[in-house]
Structures are given as structure tokens and as C-alpha cells.
Amino acid sequence: EAQVTQNPRYLITVTGKKLTVTCSQNMNHEYMSWYRQDPGLGLRQIYYSMNVEVTDKGDVPEGYKVSRKEKRNFPLILESPSPNQTSLYFCASSLNLRGAEAFFGQGTRLTVV
Amino acid sequence: EDQVTQSPEALRLQEGESSSLNCSYTVSGLRGLFWYRQDPGKGPEFLFTLYSAGEEKEKERLKATLTKKESFLHITAPKPEDSATYLCAVRSLVDKLIFGTGTRLQVFP
């Protein structure tokens, strides 16, 4: 089954404690991205990757890091989480950028206290 | 600036009462317009892609249409299971995917 898998689904952590949210896709897609979703603000792109070892900032990259060492995996790293990073996070993948639809993971609800 | 605006923010319908959701956009060239359905706490689920003005796509009770400035998602005789937030997104020529804030649809029996 074609899917994007994120882990964990729920996470509560304390300010400053480094964490990683994993994302994996089994569709051999080139393009992967991370979004955060906040009430009234919609989905905002954090980082994206056009292929292995190629990443770039989205609209709200501050406080986040990513890496793309393999085509299928695109982890999101919060080196020193803060309460304003409490949000619902989604990983997405697309075959390419030429009008292809994006497939989303089930989401990670992160709470930073 | 590229922008996507969805209206209304929320819509309450009686079962069987047809209606339309609007997505208006301004982008520097359109590579594609996408409709998604999102259930609470879950990831957006892809519904349709539209590429050019005049194009239409249908799936069960849903029909999406596209003009040069907006798209409509028509819901015919909705059922309670159609209740969800419907998201519109556009991909511009600079390959950025821009989302609207969605329309929250509630269908009552």
C-alpha cells in the first residue's frame, strides 16, 4: 500500500530537549516536505527536499532542521524545541513538482511544555 | 504575492442539501490546483487535481471545477459522512504549494 508514515503520532516534550520526527514514504517519490498546521493559519511549509541531499527552506524554517540521506526518509529535527513549536506536523511526498499531487502522512501532534 | 482564499470558513448543511465551496487564488502561473479532504487530527486526503480553466473532475457526490481565478467544489446531496474540512492548494510556477485555510463542512441528518 502506497503511504507516508510518520512517527511518533503524539509527543509531549519539554523545552530544549532535542527530538526527531521520522517520515518515510514507499512510493519512490523525489519530492518530500514538512508542514505545520495551526488553527486559522492553515498548512505552512517548513522545509522541503527535491531529492537526496537536496533540501531548502520553506516559509517557516526557524527552529527546525531536516536531512535527506535516503530517498525514502525525511526526518524533521527540533534541536531545542520551544512552546511556540507546539503544533500538528505533517510530512508529504510528491512524485515531482510538475503538478503532481502531494500525499500526506497521518500527522504528529507535538506539545512542548 | 501568491495567495489562496477559501470561503466560507464553515458551512452547515442538512443531509441532501447541495452547496458549493469556493477557492479563489492569485499565483504567478498555475501548475495545478488540488482539493483535499481532512478529517480531525488526520492528514489531508487527496481528492482532485485541476490543471486548466474549464476542467472538471467528479467523484461520487463531489465535483470540482476550475476557472482562471477560482475553483469550486460542488457537493450534491451530501451525507453526514461528507463532514470534514476541505482544503484547496495551488502549485505555482516557482513550484511552491500554497494552501488555503479550508472550509469546515458539517452535514446533519
Side-chain angles (χ1 to χ4, degrees), chain A residues 4-108:
Chain A
V4 178
T5 303
Q6 292 178 232
N7 280 296
R9 292 289 314 278
Y10 302 92
L11 180 59
I12 301 174
T13 190
V14 296
T15 299
K17 185 177 181 182
K18 182 179 178 180
L19 66 91
T20 299
V21 184
T22 64
C23 173
S24 179
Q25 50 94 2
N26 63 359
M27 296 169 278
N28 202 35
H29 284 171
E30 293 180 350
Y31 186 85
M32 297 184 74
S33 55
W34 276 102
Y35 293 85
R36 61 178 289 173
Q37 188 174 37
D38 302 288
L41 296 177
L43 283 157
R44 294 180 293 166
Q45 192 179 56
I46 302 169
Y47 267 95
Y48 64 94
S49 168
M50 296 176 72
N51 215 322
V52 175
E53 301 293 359
V54 181
T55 63
D56 208 346
K57 296 177 181 179
D59 296 318
V60 287
E62 294 79 20
Y64 305 94
K65 286 177 60 178
V66 293
S67 69
R68 188 97 180 268
K69 293 184 170 55
E70 305 166 283
K71 197 171 188 179
R72 63 182 292 129
N73 295 323
F74 189 45
L76 178 70
I77 303 156
L78 284 71
E79 297 240 327
S80 183
S82 62
N84 65 10
Q85 293 178 297
T86 292
S87 187
L88 182 57
Y89 291 87
F90 291 102
C91 178
S93 74
S94 302
L95 181 62
N96 53 51
L97 290 176
R98 299 178 193 89
E101 66 274 19
F103 293 92
F104 284 80
Q106 286 295 84
T108 296

Side-chain angles (χ1 to χ4, degrees), chain B residues 6-23:
Chain B
Q6 290 187 247
S7 62
E9 286 188 17
L11 182 62
R12 292 164 56 101
L13 298 174
Q14 201 73 32
E15 184 172 3
E17 179 186 2
S18 300
S19 189
S20 296
L21 282 56
N22 177 264
C23 171

Side-chain angles (χ1 to χ4, degrees), chain B residues 24-98:
Chain B
S24 63
Y25 61 91
T26 53
V27 289
S28 54
L30 183 69
R31 279 197 186 273
L33 184 142
F34 309 93
W35 281 98
Y36 289 86
R37 169 193 171 123
Q38 186 176 25
D39 293 299
K42 295 193 175 182
E45 175 189 344
F46 170 73
L47 293 172
F48 303 110
T49 305
L50 301 166
Y51 291 110
S52 56
E55 192 174 357
E56 298 182 353
K57 294 274 180 73
E58 280 190 73
K59 181 180 179 180
E60 296 180 353
R61 295 177 291 282
L62 300 177
K63 179 180 176 181
T65 61
L66 181 65
T67 71
K68 287 188 177 180
K69 293 187 176 180
E70 58 191 349
S71 175
F72 292 94
L73 184 66
H74 306 279
I75 303 177
T76 301
K79 298 182 178 181
E81 53 261 42
D82 294 322
S83 297
T85 295
Y86 290 85
L87 299 173
C88 172
V90 298
R91 195 181 294 283
S92 66
L93 286 180
V94 297
D95 292 327
K96 192 172 179 180
L97 190 61
I98 306 155

